[in-house]
Amino acid sequence: MAYGRSNAKPMETTHLGKVSALPASPEAAKLDYVPNPRPESRYLVRFAAPEFTSLCPVTGQPDFAHLVIDYVPAARIVESKSLKLFLGSFRNHAAFHEDCTVGIGERLFREMAPHWLRIGGYWYPRGGIPIDVFWQSGAPPADVWVPDQGVAPYRGRG
C-alpha cells in the first residue's frame, strides 16, 4: 500500500512493495497512478531514464536513449516503480525512436491526465546520426518553473 499525506487513504498499487517481473511488452505493462499529495499546488515532476533501451524494428539491434519526462500533475501522479517497469518493457520492443518517445508521452498523458507533460528522447547514434525526439501536450503552464532538460547535445569525440 502506498500513502500520500498522513490523512490520505491507503492506495492499492500493482507493484509498490511487491516483487514484480518486467512486463513482456509496453502494452502489457500496468502503470499505477496515485492521488496527487499536493493537488492545490502547481509544480513540476521530472523523471530521467538515462539508460532506456528498445530494439530497432528493422535490424533487431539495441537502441539506447536518455529519456527525460516532465509533467505538472493534476489529480494524480504516476507511481515510479510502475513507470520504471513500463520503461523497462521496451527492452525487447521493436519500434522506431519516434514511436517509442511519442508513444510513452501520449500514454502517460492519456492515463494520468496531468495539466501538462513533455518528453525528450535523446537517442544515441546508430549509423552515425543521433536522433532527438520531443513531444509535449501543449504550451507549458505560465505559473510553473520548467527548467531545461539538461541533456547535452551529442558531440561524439568533440
Side-chain angles (χ1 to χ4, degrees):
M1 299 204 155
Y3 295 86
R5 292 203 243 179
S6 60
N7 62 351
K9 294 180 182 177
M11 172 62 62
E12 191 64 37
T13 60
T14 305
H15 305 291
L16 190 60
K18 302 171 182 139
V19 176
S20 299
L22 193 64
S25 69
E27 297 77 24
K30 167 89 169 73
L31 283 158
D32 288 333
Y33 301 95
V34 298
N36 180 354
R38 301 269 180 194
E40 71 284 355
S41 297
R42 301 266 285 195
Y43 61 95
L44 184 119
V45 176
R46 170 168 291 166
F47 289 103
E51 299 176 347
F52 179 84
T53 61
S54 65
L55 298 175
C56 173
V58 176
T59 66
Q61 295 295 309
D63 286 322
F64 301 90
H66 183 153
L67 298 182
V68 180
I69 302 164
D70 293 325
Y71 74 95
V72 177
R76 54 195 200 156
I77 59 175
V78 66
E79 190 279 311
S80 62
K81 182 176 180 183
S82 73
L83 178 64
K84 176 185 76 168
L85 292 167
F86 169 60
L87 295 177
S89 73
F90 283 83
R91 185 175 299 159
N92 296 313
H93 178 74
F96 290 112
H97 304 334
E98 297 84 351
D99 189 32
C100 289
T101 306
V102 175
I104 291 166
E106 288 178 339
R107 179 166 174 187
L108 288 169
F109 187 72
R110 180 178 62 250
E111 292 182 10
M112 186 175 27
H115 292 293
W116 177 78
L117 185 141
R118 76 173 174 185
I119 182 170
Y122 302 85
W123 293 84
Y124 294 95
R126 289 205 5 116
I129 301 174
I131 300 173
D132 296 337
V133 181
F134 307 99
W135 181 87
Q136 68 181 27
S137 61
D143 59 343
V144 175
W145 176 48
V146 181
D148 181 79
Q149 291 193 327
V151 180
Y154 184 80
R155 293 190 47 187
R157 292 185 173 184

